[in-house]
Amino acid sequence: IKKIGVLTSGGDSPGMNAAIRGVVRAAISDGLEVFGIYDGYLGLYENRMKKLNRSDVSDMITRGGTFLGSARFPQFKEEAVRLQAIENMKANGIDALVVIGGDGSYMGAKLISEKGFPCIGLPGTIDNDIGGTDYTIGYFTALQTVVEAIDRLRDTSSSHQRISLVEVMGRYCGDLTMAAAIASGCEFMVLPEIPFNKDELVQELQRGIDHGKKHAIVAVTEKVCDIYELAKYIEEKTKRETRATVLGHIQRGGSPVAYDRVLASRMGAFAIELLLKGVAGHCVGIQRDELVHHEIEEAITKLKRPFKADWLKTAEKLY
Ligand code: F6P
């Protein structure tokens, strides 16, 4: 391997730039050339790429988002599109690819690898929902952002003696919600992994009110229910003013926290190490503080991330 490509794909996450920097600098240190591909698989298909030098990634470690750009590009499921992408890489002399993204992006990397073109996946998403890794790049930064937002909500919720619902991202994974709820002392949480019953939540809130609680904060993972409808329902039943706040894409921005920078740098360098050893079609993870790698296929299909039931148990004791 002499020349590698790197791209970021799917929803961006803080630390993607640090990961690109890790890939670029480790590759150059090992005597390789690196091409940055713009806007994920879309740019790969459209042949938009440029050589990156050490200085192209200077000052990138602190920056949120991804300077290469990212895109959701469902057309990459089509074989003809993928073949064109591989052709483009070959035409530019690229002989291996590092993909930084979530499990949709991993699927693309797996399919390219199956065509005999070596790829390595790095887990870049705030959702922390990827198999084969305890943590994903961007998760800890998003967690900090959510906790800071909930701290602010607590101030106003308590001043007005209200119930506040806060919607947290995570797709179908409750990790971000659960960790944020514990860290910010939320009264309740609604998670995609646990069947949701709004009347049980109302009963819990009512119990709190009966015990003299002046306000309550409920962290709700996106997609479980309509948070505005839920707020109306709770207000109707408890007669307590209830407000809903959707944190939205605020959660994806910002300078990465130190742990995400370290994780991204280590994973970026590890990807190069693996490619030079001839490993392909694998994704990088961190498990019990050790860098690991698994077949992408296995990570996507078999290594479902276990639900942190013990975290929930602890949280329930602390409500
Ligand atoms: O996967 C990251 C994520 O932010 C999810 O938490 C969320 O469901 C989704 O992306 C939002 O996607 P988009 O930015 O395309 O609206």
Side-chain angles (χ1 to χ4, degrees):
I1 286 173
K2 291 201 166 56
K3 202 189 269 189
I4 64 152
V6 58
L7 62 81
T8 46
S9 158
D12 64 346
S13 71
M16 279 184 161
N17 281 325
I20 300 167
R21 174 181 177 273
V23 168
V24 170
R25 296 226 165 144
I28 293 174
S29 295
D30 285 332
L32 307 177
E33 255 187 79
V34 188
F35 267 50
I37 297 152
Y38 292 104
D39 303 330
Y41 292 116
L42 173 65
L44 185 58
Y45 172 65
E46 293 176 348
N47 201 15
R48 290 188 282 112
M49 48 189 90
K50 147 184 189 276
K51 186 177 170 186
L52 297 176
N53 299 311
R54 286 191 91 83
S55 59
D56 288 317
V57 289
S58 297
D59 299 335
M60 280 301 164
I61 198 160
T62 62
R63 275 173 52 179
T66 157
F67 80 96
L68 287 177
S70 190
R72 300 203 190 270
F73 184 51
Q75 292 89 328
F76 207 68
K77 290 193 186 108
E78 294 164 29
E79 178 155 26
V81 172
R82 289 198 301 276
L83 290 176
Q84 182 60 55
I86 293 173
E87 265 324 294
N88 293 344
M89 285 192 280
K90 287 184 176 162
N92 285 289
I94 296 173
D95 39 28
L97 177 68
V98 178
V99 170
I100 307 163
D103 54 5
S105 315
Y106 273 19
M107 189 52 85
K110 174 186 109 87
L111 293 169
I112 295 180
S113 289
E114 282 169 3
K115 293 277 170 221
F117 196 95
C119 285
I120 293 288
L122 300 186
T125 167
I126 65 163
D127 298 334
N128 211 37
D129 61 346
I130 297 186
T133 189
D134 294 340
Y135 298 112
T136 56
I137 298 165
Y139 167 70
F140 281 100
T141 305
L143 178 55
Q144 190 62 31
T145 304
V146 174
V147 168
E148 283 168 17
I150 297 179
D151 287 350
R152 287 178 164 80
L153 265 181
R154 177 171 295 281
D155 292 343
T156 164
S157 174
S158 122
S159 302
H160 288 266
Q161 306 201 2
R162 281 173 175 159
I163 296 170
S164 290
L165 310 184
V166 54
E167 187 182 285
V168 178
M169 278 186 171
R171 257 189 341 160
Y172 303 104
C173 177
D175 279 21
L176 191 55
T177 307
M178 186 154 55
I182 292 174
S184 58
C186 285
E187 275 64 27
F188 302 101
M189 56 181 104
V190 176
L191 306 171
E193 292 90 349
I194 306 288
F196 173 54
N197 179 324
K198 61 182 178 178
D199 291 311
E200 277 173 20
L201 175 62
V202 167
Q203 277 167 26
E204 293 284 351
L205 287 164
Q206 190 59 55
R207 207 168 298 144
I209 294 168
D210 296 343
H211 281 89
K213 267 199 180 276
K214 299 267 182 284
H215 73 110
I217 301 183
V218 185
V220 183
T221 309
E222 62 174 346
K223 302 186 202 298
V224 175
C225 62
D226 181 323
I227 195 177
Y228 296 105
E229 292 294 319
L230 182 61
K232 264 195 238 154
Y233 188 75
I234 291 174
E235 183 164 303
E236 224 174 83
K237 295 287 174 187
T238 62
K239 311 284 179 245
R240 274 288 167 102
E241 273 191 334
T242 304
R243 296 286 188 269
T245 303
V246 175
L247 297 180
H249 289 79
I250 296 276
Q251 296 162 93
R252 290 234 299 258
S255 175
V257 297
Y259 186 83
D260 276 329
R261 298 180 196 187
V262 174
L263 188 64
S265 303
R266 292 181 69 203
M267 287 182 162
F270 192 50
I272 300 305
E273 215 178 295
L274 292 176
L275 284 170
L276 288 175
K277 275 190 199 150
V279 177
H282 278 218
C283 54
V284 170
I286 186 146
Q287 290 179 313
R288 298 174 185 271
D289 218 23
E290 297 262 346
L291 288 176
V292 293
H293 58 99
H294 301 279
E295 271 179 26
I296 293 179
E297 165 92 49
E298 199 195 351
I300 296 177
T301 56
K302 300 200 194 110
L303 301 177
K304 276 259 148 239
R305 302 196 63 263
F307 174 64
K308 296 182 171 71
D310 57 323
W311 286 47
L312 182 59
K313 218 167 121 193
T314 302
E316 282 170 349
K317 281 191 189 156
L318 306 183
Y319 279 164

